[in-house]
Amino acid sequence: MLRTNTKKYLSNMENYLLNQIDGTDYATETNTPEQKLKFVFDCFNSEYECEYARRRTPNQQERFAEWLSGLPSCIDIPCYNYDILALAKDLQEIEGETKKSWEDTVLKNYWNFMSFHILKLHQKYNK
């Protein structure tokens, strides 16, 4: 089981997230990480980011998590508990059964956790 702060886990997460972004339906070229993340944030800004949203939820990570939980079509991440847990096990390279407390924690923090990692990638590739 990988800890979520190890280089291997962070690499797994980065590869997974970048592979889930596709601009084909939007007629947008998304071949590089920079293009993919710019595309996602362009969608976020046009679909969700407004003065009302910024006042209601001042924290950008929480605002982005709210938008992700609405299942935008520009990024394909799991939304069902079974799929979320399967993804978490895959990214952490867990084999076998897990504790109920671990599963509850993963499900409770999923949208914020994904938001955190996407924002981190955005900072890394769009300086």
Side-chain angles (χ1 to χ4, degrees):
M1 178 171 151
L2 297 175
R3 292 191 169 274
T4 58
N5 63 352
T6 63
K7 287 183 181 181
K8 175 73 171 137
Y9 176 81
L10 294 174
S11 175
N12 289 350
M13 178 62 86
E14 179 176 341
N15 292 333
Y16 173 76
L17 288 172
L18 291 175
N19 286 332
Q20 299 311 110
I21 300 169
D22 185 17
T24 306
D25 292 342
Y26 290 80
T28 302
E29 191 172 309
T30 53
N31 298 324
T32 66
E34 293 85 1
Q35 289 174 331
K36 289 178 182 235
L37 292 162
K38 181 183 180 323
F39 168 63
V40 167
F41 278 87
D42 286 347
C43 290
F44 168 68
N45 289 330
S46 69
E47 294 173 1
Y48 198 78
E49 192 76 323
C50 66
E51 185 59 34
Y52 174 74
R54 285 190 292 273
R55 276 193 317 238
R56 190 187 71 223
T57 312
N59 183 298
Q60 184 184 20
Q61 180 179 331
E62 290 176 11
R63 213 168 40 250
F64 195 81
E66 288 174 2
W67 176 71
L68 278 178
S69 69
L71 306 175
S73 59
C74 61
I75 184 167
D76 183 27
I77 57 176
C79 62
Y80 298 110
N81 290 352
Y82 177 82
D83 296 331
I84 292 168
L85 292 173
L87 172 64
K89 287 179 183 180
D90 187 44
L91 292 173
Q92 287 187 276
E93 300 178 2
I94 297 173
E95 294 180 18
E97 295 297 316
T98 55
K99 292 182 180 180
K100 177 80 169 120
S101 61
W102 177 85
E103 292 176 357
D104 291 342
T105 302
V106 167
L107 295 173
K108 179 181 175 191
N109 298 319
Y110 175 70
W111 297 111
N112 246 339
F113 191 73
M114 296 305 264
S115 173
F116 169 78
H117 283 285
I118 294 170
L119 288 167
K120 197 163 111 178
L121 286 176
H122 183 63
Q123 290 173 349
K124 176 181 177 179
Y125 286 107
N126 293 304
K127 292 184 179 181

